[in-house]
Amino acid sequence: MKFRPKGSVSDLAVFGGPPVFSEPLHVGRPNIGDRGVLLKRMNELLDRRWLTNNGPLVQEFEERIAELSGVKHCVATCNATAALEVAVRALDLRGEIIVPAFTFIATAHALRWQGLTPVFCDIDPTTHTIDPAEVLRNVTPRTTGILGVHLWGRPCDADVLTDIARARGLALLFDASHAFWCSYKGRMVGQFGDVEVFSFHATKCINSGEGGAIVTNDGELARRARLMINFGFDGFDRVTSIGINAKMSEMAAAMGLTSLDSLHDFMDAAHGNYKTYECELEDLPGIRMLAHDPSERSNYHYVVLEIDEAVAQIGRDEVQRVLWAENVLARRYFYPGCHRHEPYASDGRVREQRLPVTDTVAARVLCLPTGTAIGPDEVGAICRVIRFVADRAPEVQARLRGV
Ligand SMILES: *Cc1c(COP(=O)(O)O)cnc(C)c1O
């Protein structure tokens, strides 16, 4: 691919210049493993005529996820949202669950769909994960659990949250949708709290098309979850409890296993892109890249910019406009915070609540393309546009505003 350099502000596509990329570059393009291996698995599952209901590929997928995360039990599901719903039911939670507002809407919806009240909590401005001090502030007599989110693959402060949960007698769950193959204090994500949930949606680092998993070291909890994902069936012709259908199919497991076969290639590609971004975007005033702790394992699946308009002299939304015109479809994850979406936004209690860190961070964050779909050439070209805009921020901003 050839990338045209920008000589002047007029060369930016937003002002009529040719875009840097002729095709759109998306955030969250799926990582795809070896097609031959996938098609072989597909052929085998068709030959077996075993397409779902705890087939051999689902069992193998569960074993590999449990082993890679160092956790005793894994129950594969059709997606992470259903996994979260089953997890809170298996824990028999009621009342209020404390959850960060800065997350994908599914985290809050899963609770509400199960009749629980998500109580939104502010985040730490540097890590973007739930702020334990804010958790404590939001505990009421109705609180029964804390649902942390390992956002961007950066683990929550699980030690502090575990202490809080123990002291207050609360359940502790983690939405680990972003954090497969990440570690906290040298231990793999999946092992913390009462239960954690992974997503293997197409956009995640390891994908099964649609898919998820409930992981826990609690055998009794895993047993209950396994009954729940299959209508409460405890053997042929025997239903012992209420359940839904949240099973993973063999086709999804074939895709998931094939993704896991390429785990190290996917991680190397993401890490390589991340390092290129980090190096090329160093020292830009007001534009900082979310860092990962190099002493921990990380999947480096999200490249997150934080743009502080007061310093950068250009806003996040303006940078996004410039990038979209260049065919770089950078995304404002997760904007606005869950507390500003319905049905939560019009709830009286939520409306009165102030979540200043969530609002500030949600207004600054821009996620950039990465994954195996692109490499150092594309990342370099994206960074040159960002650098160019940062260097001429006042001029670009003035022209965008028609001044
Ligand atoms: C993707 C995602 C989910 C939902 O996962 P699905 O598998 O699509 O249901 C939940 N929480 C977070 C933080 C996510 O990013």
Side-chain angles (χ1 to χ4, degrees):
M1 210 180 310
K2 198 152 158 45
F3 307 108
R4 296 176 203 87
K6 305 286 174 186
S8 78
V9 168
S10 309
D11 292 338
L12 289 171
V14 76
F15 303 125
V20 171
F21 297 97
S22 52
E23 303 274 326
L25 263 64
H26 295 268
V27 175
R29 266 269 165 99
N31 287 330
I32 305 221
D34 186 312
R35 277 168 208 242
V37 173
L38 174 65
L39 294 176
K40 182 167 175 289
R41 285 197 172 101
M42 288 289 183
N43 273 322
E44 287 167 1
L45 78 88
L46 292 176
D47 289 343
R48 270 194 298 275
R49 292 183 185 262
W50 193 348
L51 307 188
T52 186
N53 289 0
N54 203 30
L57 296 181
V58 165
Q59 291 177 36
E60 187 185 345
F61 185 69
E62 288 177 339
E63 277 163 25
R64 279 171 73 179
I65 294 298
E67 192 185 322
L68 288 164
S69 314
V71 66
K72 283 192 196 143
H73 307 281
C74 171
V75 179
T77 61
C78 54
N79 61 56
T81 309
L84 282 169
E85 291 181 47
V86 168
V88 296
R89 281 194 83 114
L91 284 164
D92 199 21
L93 299 183
R94 312 279 162 92
E96 299 175 358
I97 310 293
I98 299 173
V99 64
F102 192 53
T103 178
F104 183 53
I105 197 70
T107 319
H109 276 359
L111 298 174
R112 183 69 173 248
W113 198 261
Q114 286 303 319
L116 297 159
T117 305
V119 171
F120 295 115
C121 177
D122 220 344
I123 53 167
D124 180 289
T126 43
T127 64
H128 297 182
T129 55
I130 196 164
D131 181 343
E134 290 296 306
V135 171
L136 280 173
R137 255 173 28 92
N138 282 291
V139 175
T140 75
R142 293 174 299 281
T143 310
T144 59
I146 305 166
L147 171 51
V149 180
H150 303 310
L151 207 76
W152 318 131
R154 296 186 49 136
C156 298
D157 196 341
D159 281 350
V160 175
L161 292 171
T162 301
D163 288 345
I164 293 174
R166 285 216 181 108
R168 304 292 175 117
L170 304 174
L172 179 60
L173 304 81
F174 291 103
D175 178 344
S177 292
H178 291 190
F180 183 71
W181 200 243
C182 297
S183 70
Y184 169 79
K185 298 192 179 172
R187 281 168 63 199
M188 295 305 278
V189 163
Q191 307 176 21
F192 300 97
D194 296 295
V195 60
E196 301 207 47
V197 163
F198 290 125
S199 173
F200 303 110
H201 181 256
T203 53
K204 309 301 202 262
C205 63
I206 292 293
N207 86 83
S208 59
E210 291 273 5
I214 298 165
V215 289
T216 179
N217 283 323
D218 180 339
E220 177 51 28
L221 184 63
R223 193 188 67 80
R224 281 201 299 273
R226 196 174 286 291
L227 287 174
M228 283 181 179
I229 66 159
N230 189 30
F231 314 99
F233 270 108
D234 190 8
F236 287 120
D237 311 326
R238 190 177 136 84
V239 175
T240 55
S241 56
I242 188 165
I244 52 162
N245 181 1
K247 300 186 297 293
M248 177 179 273
S249 74
E250 286 290 277
M251 287 73 84
M255 183 71 183
L257 285 167
T258 309
S259 296
L260 287 177
D261 292 340
S262 294
L263 176 74
H264 294 287
D265 291 342
F266 293 174
M267 298 300 149
D268 288 350
H271 196 197
N273 286 343
Y274 181 89
K275 282 170 115 166
T276 308
Y277 272 120
E278 197 176 40
C279 170
E280 301 279 327
L281 296 177
E282 217 175 29
D283 300 327
L284 293 179
I287 302 182
R288 134 187 129 95
M289 226 176 106
L290 196 90
H292 290 276
D293 181 347
S295 70
E296 299 285 358
R297 186 167 269 163
S298 174
N299 58 37
Y300 293 96
H301 189 60
Y302 295 88
V303 173
V304 182
L305 285 191
E306 266 184 89
I307 301 167
D308 177 359
E309 180 169 1
V311 181
Q313 298 185 279
I314 187 157
R316 182 272 311 269
D317 293 355
E318 292 162 328
V319 174
Q320 189 191 31
R321 259 180 79 191
V322 169
L323 288 172
W324 275 58
E326 303 294 348
N327 260 330
V328 179
L329 306 188
R331 295 291 302 275
R332 302 186 294 184
Y333 291 152
F334 293 95
Y335 176 81
C338 293
H339 62 306
R340 298 197 178 274
H341 286 296
E342 294 300 344
Y344 316 107
S346 50
D347 178 276
R349 179 166 157 200
V350 175
R351 222 168 18 204
E352 273 170 31
Q353 216 186 355
R354 295 287 161 268
L355 297 169
V357 182
T358 298
D359 286 333
T360 302
V361 170
R364 288 182 178 179
V365 160
L366 195 58
C367 289
L368 299 174
T370 183
T372 51
I374 65 171
D377 292 349
E378 288 84 2
V379 173
I382 295 168
C383 292
R384 280 195 293 282
V385 174
I386 295 170
R387 256 192 183 281
F388 183 85
V389 171
D391 287 345
R392 294 159 184 80
E395 192 190 342
V396 175
Q397 188 178 60
R399 284 195 54 175
L400 283 172
R401 293 177 179 187
V403 180

